[in-house]
Protein backbone atom coordinates (compact mmCIF):
# COMPACT_ATOMS: atom_id res chain seq x y z
CA UNK A 1 0.00 0.00 0.00
CA UNK A 2 2.74 2.46 0.99
CA UNK A 3 4.94 3.26 -2.00
CA UNK A 4 4.84 7.06 -2.14
CA UNK A 5 7.83 9.35 -2.46
CA UNK A 6 7.95 13.14 -2.17
CA UNK A 7 8.09 13.50 -5.94
CA UNK A 8 4.93 11.40 -6.31
CA UNK A 9 2.87 13.76 -4.13
CA UNK A 10 -0.04 15.55 -5.79
CA UNK A 11 -0.05 19.34 -5.81
CA UNK A 12 -2.73 19.59 -3.13
CA UNK A 13 -4.04 17.40 -0.34
CA UNK A 14 -6.45 14.83 -1.69
CA UNK A 15 -10.00 15.92 -1.09
CA UNK A 16 -11.05 12.31 -0.72
CA UNK A 17 -8.43 11.72 1.96
CA UNK A 18 -9.87 14.55 4.02
CA UNK A 19 -13.24 12.79 3.98
CA UNK A 20 -11.75 9.54 5.34
CA UNK A 21 -12.12 8.62 8.99
CA UNK A 22 -9.69 10.46 11.21
CA UNK A 23 -6.61 8.55 12.37
CA UNK A 24 -4.13 9.21 15.14
CA UNK A 25 -0.72 10.35 13.88
CA UNK A 26 2.56 10.74 15.78
CA UNK A 27 5.12 13.08 14.26
CA UNK A 28 8.61 12.67 15.68
CA UNK A 29 10.54 15.94 15.46
CA UNK A 30 9.22 19.46 16.02
CA UNK A 31 11.26 21.44 13.51
CA UNK A 32 9.69 23.47 10.73
CA UNK A 33 9.28 20.27 8.71
CA UNK A 34 7.42 18.42 11.46
CA UNK A 35 5.30 21.41 12.47
CA UNK A 36 4.24 22.19 8.90
CA UNK A 37 3.43 18.54 8.31
CA UNK A 38 1.29 18.57 11.46
CA UNK A 39 -0.52 21.66 10.24
CA UNK A 40 -1.45 20.12 6.89
CA UNK A 41 -2.50 16.79 8.39
CA UNK A 42 -4.66 18.49 11.01
CA UNK A 43 -6.30 20.59 8.30
CA UNK A 44 -7.34 17.29 6.70
CA UNK A 45 -9.07 16.24 9.91
CA UNK A 46 -6.37 13.99 11.34
CA UNK A 47 -5.53 13.73 15.04
CA UNK A 48 -1.88 14.69 15.41
CA UNK A 49 0.67 14.65 18.23
CA UNK A 50 4.15 16.14 17.72
CA UNK A 51 7.02 14.89 19.88
CA UNK A 52 10.17 17.01 20.22
CA UNK A 53 13.19 15.89 22.24
CA UNK A 54 14.47 19.44 22.79
CA UNK A 55 12.90 21.77 25.37
CA UNK A 56 11.46 23.98 22.60
CA UNK A 57 10.20 23.61 19.05
CA UNK A 58 11.78 24.82 15.83
CA UNK A 59 14.73 22.47 15.29
CA UNK A 60 17.34 24.27 13.19
CA UNK A 61 15.00 27.30 13.22
CA UNK A 62 14.78 27.41 17.01
CA UNK A 63 15.79 30.46 19.02
CA UNK A 64 17.96 30.93 22.10
CA UNK A 65 19.34 33.67 24.29
CA UNK A 66 22.83 35.10 23.97
CA UNK A 67 23.85 38.01 26.14
CA UNK A 68 20.21 38.70 27.00
CA UNK A 69 19.20 38.82 23.30
CA UNK A 70 16.72 36.28 21.87
CA UNK A 71 17.37 35.40 18.23
CA UNK A 72 17.85 32.40 15.94
CA UNK A 73 20.27 29.72 17.10
CA UNK A 74 21.50 29.39 13.51
CA UNK A 75 21.53 32.02 10.79
CA UNK A 76 18.51 32.25 8.49
CA UNK A 77 17.35 34.69 5.84
CA UNK A 78 14.43 34.76 3.40
CA UNK A 79 14.87 34.98 -0.36
CA UNK A 80 12.20 36.56 -2.52
CA UNK A 81 12.02 33.20 -4.32
CA UNK A 82 10.96 31.44 -1.10
CA UNK A 83 7.33 31.34 -2.17
CA UNK A 84 6.25 28.51 0.15
CA UNK A 85 7.74 30.17 3.20
CA UNK A 86 6.22 33.52 2.25
CA UNK A 87 2.83 31.83 1.71
CA UNK A 88 3.02 30.24 5.17
CA UNK A 89 3.94 33.58 6.75
CA UNK A 90 0.90 35.11 5.03
CA UNK A 91 -1.25 32.27 6.36
CA UNK A 92 0.05 32.90 9.88
CA UNK A 93 -0.59 36.63 9.66
CA UNK A 94 3.11 37.48 9.59
CA UNK A 95 3.48 38.86 6.08
CA UNK A 96 3.63 42.43 7.40
CA UNK A 97 6.45 41.43 9.76
CA UNK A 98 8.83 40.58 6.91
CA UNK A 99 11.56 43.18 6.36
CA UNK A 100 13.77 43.29 3.26
CA UNK A 101 17.22 44.75 2.90
CA UNK A 102 20.05 44.98 0.41
CA UNK A 103 23.05 43.00 1.60
CA UNK A 104 26.70 42.96 0.62
CA UNK A 105 29.23 40.17 0.17
CA UNK A 106 32.97 40.16 0.86
CA UNK A 107 35.72 37.76 -0.10
CA UNK A 108 38.66 37.08 2.23
CA UNK A 109 41.79 35.65 0.64
CA UNK A 110 43.84 35.27 3.80
CA UNK A 111 45.71 38.49 3.19
CA UNK A 112 43.03 41.01 2.35
CA UNK A 113 39.28 41.63 2.15
CA UNK A 114 37.60 42.32 -1.20
CA UNK A 115 33.99 43.29 -2.03
CA UNK A 116 32.15 40.83 -4.26
CA UNK A 117 28.86 42.48 -5.15
CA UNK A 118 28.83 43.30 -8.86
CA UNK A 119 30.66 42.82 -12.16
CA UNK A 120 33.24 45.48 -11.31
CA UNK A 121 34.08 43.73 -8.05
CA UNK A 122 34.55 40.45 -9.90
CA UNK A 123 36.93 42.13 -12.35
CA UNK A 124 38.98 43.48 -9.44
CA UNK A 125 39.21 40.14 -7.62
CA UNK A 126 42.97 39.60 -7.24
CA UNK A 127 43.13 35.80 -7.01
CA UNK A 128 42.04 35.23 -10.63
CA UNK A 129 43.15 36.42 -14.05
CA UNK A 130 40.75 38.06 -16.50
CA UNK A 131 40.06 34.85 -18.45
CA UNK A 132 39.44 32.93 -15.24
CA UNK A 133 37.05 35.63 -14.07
CA UNK A 134 35.13 35.46 -17.34
CA UNK A 135 34.80 31.69 -17.00
CA UNK A 136 33.71 32.08 -13.38
CA UNK A 137 30.97 34.54 -14.34
CA UNK A 138 29.85 32.26 -17.16
CA UNK A 139 29.69 29.31 -14.77
CA UNK A 140 27.47 31.19 -12.32
CA UNK A 141 25.16 32.45 -15.08
CA UNK A 142 24.92 29.00 -16.63
CA UNK A 143 24.25 27.26 -13.32
CA UNK A 144 21.58 29.81 -12.33
CA UNK A 145 19.63 29.00 -15.50
CA UNK A 146 19.57 25.22 -15.10
CA UNK A 147 16.10 24.19 -13.96
CA UNK A 148 16.65 20.49 -13.23
CA UNK A 149 19.78 19.48 -11.36
CA UNK A 150 19.19 15.71 -11.42
CA UNK A 151 21.48 15.06 -14.44
CA UNK A 152 24.26 16.82 -12.53
CA UNK A 153 24.21 14.03 -9.92
CA UNK A 154 26.19 11.88 -12.36
CA UNK A 155 29.26 14.16 -12.14
CA UNK A 156 31.37 15.28 -9.20
CA UNK A 157 31.36 18.94 -8.23
CA UNK A 158 35.10 19.06 -8.88
CA UNK A 159 34.84 17.65 -12.41
CA UNK A 160 31.92 19.91 -13.36
CA UNK A 161 33.41 23.12 -11.98
CA UNK A 162 36.83 22.37 -13.47
CA UNK A 163 35.27 21.82 -16.87
CA UNK A 164 33.27 25.05 -16.74
CA UNK A 165 35.56 27.38 -14.79
CA UNK A 166 39.00 25.88 -15.39
CA UNK A 167 41.50 24.23 -13.08
CA UNK A 168 42.93 27.51 -11.75
CA UNK A 169 39.53 28.89 -10.73
CA UNK A 170 38.60 25.58 -9.16
CA UNK A 171 41.80 25.41 -7.09
CA UNK A 172 41.86 29.06 -6.01
CA UNK A 173 38.16 29.74 -5.47
CA UNK A 174 35.73 26.85 -5.81
CA UNK A 175 37.70 24.22 -3.90
CA UNK A 176 38.25 26.36 -0.77
CA UNK A 177 34.59 27.35 -0.78
CA UNK A 178 33.37 23.76 -1.13
CA UNK A 179 35.80 22.57 1.54
CA UNK A 180 34.59 25.30 3.88
CA UNK A 181 31.07 23.86 3.61
CA UNK A 182 31.86 20.16 3.27
CA UNK A 183 35.32 19.79 4.80
CA UNK A 184 36.64 16.25 4.42
CA UNK A 185 33.49 15.32 2.48
CA UNK A 186 34.26 17.73 -0.37
CA UNK A 187 35.08 15.01 -2.90
CA UNK A 188 31.80 13.17 -2.19
CA UNK A 189 29.61 15.99 -3.48
CA UNK A 190 27.99 15.84 -6.89
CA UNK A 191 27.70 18.83 -9.19
CA UNK A 192 24.04 19.05 -8.14
CA UNK A 193 25.14 20.24 -4.70
CA UNK A 194 27.07 23.31 -5.86
CA UNK A 195 24.42 24.01 -8.52
CA UNK A 196 21.75 24.25 -5.81
CA UNK A 197 23.89 26.66 -3.77
CA UNK A 198 24.62 28.88 -6.77
CA UNK A 199 20.96 28.91 -7.76
CA UNK A 200 19.71 30.00 -4.33
CA UNK A 201 22.21 32.81 -3.86
CA UNK A 202 21.95 34.03 -7.45
CA UNK A 203 18.16 34.04 -7.00
CA UNK A 204 18.59 36.51 -4.13
CA UNK A 205 20.03 39.08 -6.54
CA UNK A 206 17.49 41.53 -7.94
CA UNK A 207 17.35 43.99 -10.82
CA UNK A 208 19.72 44.71 -13.69
CA UNK A 209 22.60 45.28 -11.30
CA UNK A 210 21.80 41.97 -9.55
CA UNK A 211 21.74 43.58 -6.12
CA UNK A 212 21.63 40.98 -3.36
CA UNK A 213 18.49 41.23 -1.24
CA UNK A 214 17.35 39.10 1.69
CA UNK A 215 14.59 39.35 4.25
CA UNK A 216 13.85 38.36 7.85
CA UNK A 217 10.87 38.26 10.18
CA UNK A 218 10.81 40.82 12.97
CA UNK A 219 11.59 38.83 16.09
CA UNK A 220 13.32 36.08 14.09
CA UNK A 221 12.08 32.51 13.76
CA UNK A 222 11.16 32.55 17.44
CA UNK A 223 8.20 34.67 16.36
CA UNK A 224 7.36 32.32 13.47
CA UNK A 225 7.56 29.12 15.53
CA UNK A 226 5.46 30.61 18.34
CA UNK A 227 2.75 31.69 15.89
CA UNK A 228 2.78 28.30 14.15
CA UNK A 229 2.61 26.44 17.47
CA UNK A 230 -0.35 28.57 18.55
CA UNK A 231 -2.12 27.78 15.27
CA UNK A 232 -1.50 24.06 15.79
CA UNK A 233 -2.78 24.06 19.35
CA UNK A 234 -5.85 25.94 18.19
CA UNK A 235 -6.45 23.22 15.61
CA UNK A 236 -6.30 20.52 18.29
CA UNK A 237 -2.73 19.33 17.63
CA UNK A 238 -0.93 18.10 20.76
CA UNK A 239 2.62 19.49 21.06
CA UNK A 240 4.98 17.74 23.48
CA UNK A 241 8.44 19.28 23.93
CA UNK A 242 11.24 17.76 26.02
CA UNK A 243 9.75 14.35 25.18
CA UNK A 244 12.24 12.18 23.30
CA UNK A 245 10.88 9.15 21.48
CA UNK A 246 13.02 6.09 22.20
CA UNK A 247 11.19 3.34 20.31
CA UNK A 248 8.57 2.85 17.61
CA UNK A 249 7.34 -0.75 17.40
CA UNK A 250 4.65 -2.33 15.18
CA UNK A 251 1.61 -3.30 17.23
CA UNK A 252 -1.46 -4.72 15.57
CA UNK A 253 -2.86 -2.25 13.05
CA UNK A 254 -0.66 0.57 14.31
CA UNK A 255 2.40 1.28 16.42
CA UNK A 256 3.47 1.45 20.03
CA UNK A 257 5.52 4.55 20.62
CA UNK A 258 7.75 4.90 23.67
CA UNK A 259 7.98 8.59 24.63
CA UNK A 260 9.39 9.64 27.96
CA UNK A 261 8.04 7.23 30.56
CA UNK A 262 4.91 6.32 28.60
CA UNK A 263 3.99 3.92 25.82
CA UNK A 264 1.20 5.09 23.52
CA UNK A 265 -0.57 3.70 20.48
CA UNK A 266 -0.89 5.52 17.15
CA UNK A 267 -2.36 4.49 13.83
CA UNK A 268 0.43 6.14 11.85
CA UNK A 269 3.91 7.48 12.64
CA UNK A 270 6.05 9.94 10.69
CA UNK A 271 9.67 10.26 11.78
CA UNK A 272 11.23 13.55 10.61
CA UNK A 273 14.59 13.05 12.32
CA UNK A 274 17.87 12.62 10.44
CA UNK A 275 18.39 9.09 9.15
CA UNK A 276 20.84 7.86 11.84
CA UNK A 277 18.48 9.06 14.60
CA UNK A 278 15.42 7.60 12.90
CA UNK A 279 17.16 4.23 12.58
CA UNK A 280 17.87 4.15 16.31
CA UNK A 281 14.18 4.30 17.27
CA UNK A 282 12.31 2.54 14.44
CA UNK A 283 12.05 -1.23 15.07
CA UNK A 284 11.18 -3.84 12.49
CA UNK A 285 12.64 -2.26 9.34
CA UNK A 286 14.27 -4.48 6.75
CA UNK A 287 18.05 -4.73 6.60
CA UNK A 288 18.04 -3.33 3.07
CA UNK A 289 16.15 -0.15 3.91
CA UNK A 290 18.17 0.40 7.08
CA UNK A 291 21.33 0.18 4.99
CA UNK A 292 19.97 2.75 2.51
CA UNK A 293 19.15 5.21 5.28
CA UNK A 294 22.49 4.73 7.04
CA UNK A 295 24.39 5.17 3.76
CA UNK A 296 23.38 8.86 3.63
CA UNK A 297 26.40 11.08 4.36
CA UNK A 298 25.75 14.01 6.70
CA UNK A 299 27.55 17.20 7.56
CA UNK A 300 27.38 18.64 11.02
CA UNK A 301 27.89 22.26 12.02
CA UNK A 302 29.52 24.11 14.88
CA UNK A 303 28.11 27.62 14.83
CA UNK A 304 29.33 30.37 17.17
CA UNK A 305 27.12 33.37 17.85
CA UNK A 306 28.77 36.62 18.91
CA UNK A 307 27.35 39.89 20.19
CA UNK A 308 29.53 42.89 19.41
CA UNK A 309 29.39 46.43 20.71
CA UNK A 310 29.93 47.80 17.18
CA UNK A 311 29.31 46.75 13.57
CA UNK A 312 31.89 44.36 12.15
CA UNK A 313 32.50 44.98 8.45
CA UNK A 314 29.08 45.75 6.98
CA UNK A 315 28.81 42.68 4.71
CA UNK A 316 26.16 40.07 5.41
CA UNK A 317 28.35 37.27 4.05
CA UNK A 318 32.13 37.01 3.91
CA UNK A 319 33.46 34.08 1.91
CA UNK A 320 36.76 32.67 3.14
CA UNK A 321 39.28 30.83 0.96
CA UNK A 322 42.08 30.81 3.54
CA UNK A 323 41.97 27.25 4.88
CA UNK A 324 43.82 28.28 8.04
CA UNK A 325 40.71 30.15 9.24
CA UNK A 326 38.86 27.71 11.52
CA UNK A 327 35.32 28.81 10.54
CA UNK A 328 33.47 28.57 7.24
CA UNK A 329 32.24 32.10 6.68
CA UNK A 330 31.39 35.25 8.59
CA UNK A 331 27.66 36.01 8.75
CA UNK A 332 27.06 39.55 10.00
CA UNK A 333 23.35 39.28 10.69
CA UNK A 334 23.18 42.85 11.98
CA UNK A 335 24.05 44.11 8.51
CA UNK A 336 20.48 43.05 7.67
CA UNK A 337 18.39 43.18 10.85
CA UNK A 338 17.75 46.36 12.79
CA UNK A 339 20.03 46.68 15.83
CA UNK A 340 17.01 47.65 17.95
CA UNK A 341 15.95 43.97 17.69
CA UNK A 342 19.19 42.91 19.40
CA UNK A 343 19.22 45.54 22.16
CA UNK A 344 21.62 47.77 20.23
CA UNK A 345 24.18 44.97 19.92
CA UNK A 346 25.51 43.51 16.66
CA UNK A 347 24.94 39.82 15.97
CA UNK A 348 27.55 37.77 14.08
CA UNK A 349 27.64 34.04 13.28
CA UNK A 350 30.84 32.04 12.70
CA UNK A 351 29.89 28.58 11.36
CA UNK A 352 32.16 25.66 10.62
CA UNK A 353 30.75 22.68 8.75
CA UNK A 354 32.29 19.34 9.66
CA UNK A 355 31.62 15.62 9.09
CA UNK A 356 29.08 14.19 11.52
CA UNK A 357 31.81 12.38 13.46
CA UNK A 358 34.23 15.32 13.73
CA UNK A 359 35.72 15.81 17.24
CA UNK A 360 35.02 19.56 17.02
CA UNK A 361 31.37 18.77 17.73
CA UNK A 362 32.45 17.65 21.20
CA UNK A 363 34.69 20.66 21.91
CA UNK A 364 33.72 23.09 24.67
CA UNK A 365 32.61 26.66 24.01
CA UNK A 366 35.86 27.84 25.58
CA UNK A 367 37.97 25.67 23.27
CA UNK A 368 36.08 26.87 20.18
CA UNK A 369 36.35 30.48 21.31
CA UNK A 370 40.12 30.06 21.69
CA UNK A 371 40.28 28.77 18.10
CA UNK A 372 37.84 31.16 16.45
CA UNK A 373 38.54 34.57 17.99
CA UNK A 374 42.22 34.95 16.96
CA UNK A 375 41.24 34.29 13.34
CA UNK A 376 38.36 36.77 13.50
CA UNK A 377 40.62 39.45 14.95
CA UNK A 378 43.15 38.74 12.20
CA UNK A 379 40.47 39.15 9.52
CA UNK A 380 39.17 42.37 11.08
CA UNK A 381 42.25 44.03 12.66
CA UNK A 382 40.28 47.08 13.83
CA UNK A 383 38.07 44.85 16.03
CA UNK A 384 39.15 44.77 19.67
CA UNK A 385 38.65 41.81 21.97
CA UNK A 386 36.83 43.93 24.55
CA UNK A 387 34.22 44.84 21.88
CA UNK A 388 33.03 41.21 21.83
CA UNK A 389 30.41 41.03 24.53
CA UNK A 390 29.18 37.44 24.26
CA UNK A 391 30.23 34.17 22.62
CA UNK A 392 28.02 31.08 22.53
CA UNK A 393 28.17 27.88 20.46
CA UNK A 394 25.39 25.80 18.88
CA UNK A 395 26.12 22.34 17.50
CA UNK A 396 24.19 19.95 15.29
CA UNK A 397 25.60 16.62 14.13
CA UNK A 398 23.23 16.05 11.20
CA UNK A 399 22.46 19.39 9.60
CA UNK A 400 22.94 18.61 5.91
CA UNK A 401 22.68 15.45 3.82
CA UNK A 402 25.39 15.58 1.16
CA UNK A 403 24.21 15.28 -2.43
CA UNK A 404 26.53 12.47 -3.51
CA UNK A 405 26.82 10.86 -6.95
CA UNK A 406 23.47 9.39 -8.10
CA UNK A 407 21.89 10.67 -4.90
CA UNK A 408 18.27 10.55 -6.09
CA UNK A 409 18.56 6.92 -7.21
CA UNK A 410 20.02 5.82 -3.86
CA UNK A 411 17.65 7.79 -1.63
CA UNK A 412 15.12 5.63 0.24
CA UNK A 413 11.44 6.49 -0.24
CA UNK A 414 9.35 8.11 2.47
CA UNK A 415 7.32 4.94 2.99
CA UNK A 416 8.97 2.12 4.87
CA UNK A 417 8.38 -1.64 4.72
CA UNK A 418 6.02 -1.18 7.68
CA UNK A 419 2.66 0.17 6.43
CA UNK A 420 1.81 3.34 8.33
CA UNK A 421 5.42 4.21 9.25
CA UNK A 422 7.09 6.89 7.15
CA UNK A 423 10.46 8.62 7.36
CA UNK A 424 10.34 12.17 6.02
CA UNK A 425 13.48 14.20 6.65
CA UNK A 426 15.68 16.83 5.07
CA UNK A 427 17.67 14.17 3.21
CA UNK A 428 14.67 14.11 0.85
CA UNK A 429 15.28 17.73 -0.16
CA UNK A 430 16.75 16.68 -3.47
CA UNK A 431 18.80 18.97 -5.70
CA UNK A 432 17.88 22.05 -3.74
CA UNK A 433 19.74 24.08 -1.15
CA UNK A 434 18.68 23.28 2.41
CA UNK A 435 16.41 26.10 3.65
CA UNK A 436 13.22 26.66 5.60
CA UNK A 437 11.40 27.14 2.29
CA UNK A 438 12.48 23.71 1.09
CA UNK A 439 11.51 22.14 4.42
CA UNK A 440 8.01 23.58 4.01
CA UNK A 441 7.81 22.33 0.44
CA UNK A 442 8.80 18.83 1.53
CA UNK A 443 6.28 18.87 4.38
CA UNK A 444 3.41 19.91 2.13
CA UNK A 445 4.25 17.37 -0.56
CA UNK A 446 4.68 14.67 2.09
CA UNK A 447 1.32 15.50 3.69
CA UNK A 448 -0.42 15.14 0.34
CA UNK A 449 1.30 11.81 -0.34
CA UNK A 450 0.59 10.47 3.15
CA UNK A 451 -3.08 11.36 2.94
CA UNK A 452 -3.33 9.84 -0.53
CA UNK A 453 -1.76 6.64 0.80
CA UNK A 454 -4.21 6.67 3.70
CA UNK A 455 -7.12 6.89 1.26
CA UNK A 456 -5.77 4.05 -0.89
CA UNK A 457 -5.32 1.82 2.16
CA UNK A 458 -8.85 2.63 3.36
CA UNK A 459 -10.32 1.71 -0.04
CA UNK A 460 -8.36 -1.55 -0.10
CA UNK A 461 -9.57 -2.45 3.40
CA UNK A 462 -13.17 -1.72 2.47
CA UNK A 463 -13.12 -3.77 -0.74
Amino acid sequence: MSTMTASDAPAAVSQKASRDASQSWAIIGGGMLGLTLALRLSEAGQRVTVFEAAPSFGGLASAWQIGGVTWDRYYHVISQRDRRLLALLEELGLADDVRWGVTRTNFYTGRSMHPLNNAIDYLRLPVLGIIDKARLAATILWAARIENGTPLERMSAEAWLTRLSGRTTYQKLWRPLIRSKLGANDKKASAAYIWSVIRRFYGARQGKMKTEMFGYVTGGYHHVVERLAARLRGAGVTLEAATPVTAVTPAGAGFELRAGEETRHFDRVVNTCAAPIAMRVCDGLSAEERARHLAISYQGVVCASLLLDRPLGGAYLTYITDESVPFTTVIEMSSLIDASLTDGKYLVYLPRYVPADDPLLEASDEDIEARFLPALLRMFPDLKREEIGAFKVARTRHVLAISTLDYSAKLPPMATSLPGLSIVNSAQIVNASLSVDESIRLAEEAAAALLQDQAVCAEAAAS
Side-chain angles (χ1 to χ4, degrees):
M1 300 296 178
S2 301
T3 58
M4 74 285 187
T5 65
S7 60
D8 296 328
V13 172
S14 166
Q15 291 297 315
K16 185 180 187 309
S18 66
R19 294 195 298 269
D20 289 335
S22 172
Q23 289 188 304
S24 60
W25 297 68
I27 296 177
I28 305 173
M32 286 299 294
L33 171 57
L35 295 178
T36 305
L37 182 57
L39 178 65
R40 299 309 177 212
L41 290 175
S42 67
E43 289 173 340
Q46 305 303 306
R47 292 172 283 120
V48 183
T49 300
V50 180
F51 295 94
E52 171 55 47
S56 59
F57 293 94
L60 292 176
S62 63
W64 68 352
Q65 278 204 335
I66 173 172
V69 171
T70 300
W71 199 261
D72 304 340
R73 189 183 305 264
Y74 299 99
Y75 55 97
H76 299 282
V77 288
I78 304 170
S79 167
Q80 293 190 338
R81 295 179 63 170
D82 290 348
R83 60 183 182 84
R84 299 170 191 85
L85 171 55
L86 292 171
L88 179 62
L89 294 176
E90 176 78 33
E91 189 177 340
L92 295 175
L94 294 174
D96 291 340
D97 291 347
V98 179
R99 302 288 182 267
W100 298 97
V102 174
T103 58
R104 295 194 291 115
T105 299
N106 280 343
F107 186 92
Y108 181 69
T109 65
R111 295 183 178 180
S112 53
M113 195 80 69
H114 303 272
L116 199 63
N117 300 295
N118 52 47
I120 295 174
D121 291 341
Y122 274 97
L123 290 174
R124 291 174 176 169
L125 195 63
V127 296
L128 299 175
I130 189 66
I131 295 176
D132 294 324
K133 291 170 183 174
R135 293 187 69 174
L136 172 62
T139 300
I140 294 171
L141 290 172
W142 173 257
R145 284 162 173 73
I146 296 174
E147 293 294 332
N148 180 13
T150 303
L152 296 177
E153 292 181 4
R154 297 192 291 268
M155 184 182 301
S156 71
E158 178 179 358
W160 186 62
L161 291 170
T162 299
R163 188 181 73 182
L164 292 177
S165 297
R167 172 57 57 179
T168 299
T169 303
Y170 178 78
Q171 290 292 344
K172 291 187 175 181
L173 189 143
W174 287 118
R175 181 177 178 273
L177 292 178
I178 293 175
R179 281 184 61 82
S180 72
K181 192 81 169 178
L182 299 182
N185 287 321
D186 65 324
K187 292 191 178 297
K188 292 184 179 181
S190 73
Y193 163 75
I194 195 66
W195 163 77
S196 69
V197 174
I198 293 171
R199 186 171 171 82
R200 175 164 174 79
F201 277 89
Y202 188 83
R205 294 183 176 269
Q206 306 293 321
K208 293 181 180 179
M209 296 298 292
K210 287 298 178 184
T211 301
E212 187 175 77
M213 178 173 287
F214 286 115
Y216 65 95
V217 176
T218 302
Y221 271 95
H222 174 69
H223 190 28
V224 178
V225 172
E226 279 196 335
R227 184 68 63 89
L228 179 53
R231 172 67 63 87
L232 288 169
R233 291 188 180 99
V237 174
T238 301
L239 300 179
E240 300 195 21
T243 311
V245 173
T246 55
V248 177
T249 307
F255 298 88
E256 296 292 343
L257 187 145
R258 182 73 175 173
E261 299 300 318
E262 297 182 52
T263 298
R264 311 184 213 180
H265 184 276
F266 290 90
D267 298 316
R268 287 176 170 254
V269 176
V270 185
N271 195 324
T272 70
C273 299
I277 300 172
M279 292 302 98
R280 288 203 294 265
V281 302
C282 293
D283 298 331
L285 299 178
S286 70
E288 185 274 336
E289 64 188 325
R290 289 182 63 84
R292 290 181 71 181
H293 282 283
L294 293 174
I296 299 170
S297 295
Y298 280 89
Q299 280 292 94
V301 67
V302 174
C303 186
S305 294
L306 291 76
L307 278 184
L308 310 183
D309 294 334
R310 43 149 283 193
L312 186 58
Y316 167 71
L317 175 62
T318 298
Y319 292 111
I320 301 169
T321 60
D322 180 356
E323 294 185 23
S324 71
V325 175
F327 40 85
T328 300
T329 48
V330 177
I331 308 292
E332 189 174 357
M333 186 58 65
S334 290
S335 69
L336 175 64
I337 65 176
D338 193 293
S340 65
L341 299 173
T342 51
D343 293 342
K345 302 295 183 179
Y346 297 85
L347 178 62
V348 173
Y349 295 97
L350 304 178
R352 180 174 181 83
Y353 291 87
V354 295
D357 59 354
D358 194 285
L360 189 65
L361 288 158
E362 303 295 335
S364 67
D365 284 20
E366 292 75 18
D367 187 14
I368 293 169
E369 182 175 352
R371 300 186 197 190
F372 281 22
L373 287 192
L376 183 68
L377 294 170
R378 187 172 78 247
M379 289 179 64
F380 299 91
D382 60 333
L383 178 66
K384 297 178 175 60
R385 177 62 183 86
E386 56 268 25
E387 293 174 319
I388 303 173
F391 187 101
K392 191 175 181 180
V393 181
R395 304 162 182 81
T396 297
R397 197 170 293 276
H398 306 105
V399 68
L400 171 70
I402 302 170
S403 177
T404 51
L405 295 178
D406 298 320
Y407 183 77
S408 297
K410 299 174 183 177
L411 189 67
M414 293 191 303
T416 71
S417 57
L418 302 174
L421 172 63
S422 302
I423 297 175
V424 182
N425 57 36
S426 61
Q428 290 156 339
I429 297 175
V430 179
N431 294 330
S433 184
L434 179 65
S435 65
V436 175
D437 183 70
E438 286 295 333
S439 296
I440 294 169
R441 177 194 62 79
L442 176 61
E444 293 179 340
E445 291 183 356
L450 290 164
L451 290 165
Q452 183 66 26
D453 181 70
Q454 180 194 45
V456 170
C457 290
E459 285 182 0
S463 62

